Amino acid sequence: MRETDGCWVYILRCADGAYYTGSTRKTVEVRLGEHQSAQNPEAFTATRLPVVLVFAEHFQAITDAIAMERRIKGWSRAKKEALIAQNFDQLVLLSKRGHRPAAPVLRDAADAAPQDEGC
């Protein structure tokens, strides 16, 4: 399998502590470099540099990657942090109906305009 087959879903931690979730058909390293260089000065991450890659997962099916990216973008900060830490027990707990995590202090990029090509 070539790294360019399929699609990557990734999460970046920005300098201000916010998370950005994206997807790419490129390698994660190439996409990270694009974020770091602030190619689009209007982009969410451009004013929050540097960014650090904290999670990446490869999907063979592009449709699966897009679905996962959208799912993660809808998650609470606590749930994203459980995924990043690979704390799957906590992830399950946070997924239960009626669970209300503490209000996040930092803004996530879930509502930000897309800045990458996606898959």
Side-chain angles (χ1 to χ4, degrees):
M1 171 184 79
R2 296 183 339 229
E3 286 201 2
T4 54
D5 291 342
C7 190
W8 288 92
V9 173
Y10 61 91
I11 301 175
L12 304 176
R13 182 180 301 117
C14 301
D16 66 358
Y19 290 115
Y20 175 84
T21 303
S23 60
T24 185
R25 289 186 198 194
K26 302 171 185 176
T27 65
V28 178
E29 294 79 12
V30 167
R31 187 66 186 114
L32 178 61
E34 292 174 351
H35 281 284
Q36 295 288 28
S37 67
Q39 289 182 348
N40 177 0
E42 305 283 322
F44 181 84
T45 57
T47 59
R48 294 168 171 82
L49 296 174
V51 294
V52 176
L53 179 68
V54 293
F55 173 82
E57 184 173 351
H58 187 265
F59 292 83
Q60 273 302 122
I62 291 169
T63 54
D64 292 341
I66 292 170
M68 185 62 172
E69 177 188 7
R70 289 180 180 160
R71 188 175 311 124
I72 292 171
K73 284 183 174 184
W75 287 357
S76 67
R77 181 176 184 83
K79 200 167 173 182
K80 290 174 188 177
E81 289 178 342
L83 176 66
I84 291 164
Q86 297 184 15
N87 185 341
F88 300 112
D89 292 336
Q90 182 71 7
L91 192 57
V92 170
L93 176 66
L94 292 168
S95 297
K96 291 187 178 178
R97 175 175 272 194
H99 184 272
R100 298 280 186 245
V105 175
L106 300 170
R107 179 177 170 224
D108 286 337
D111 297 322
Q115 77 178 45
D116 66 339
E117 80 285 352
C119 292

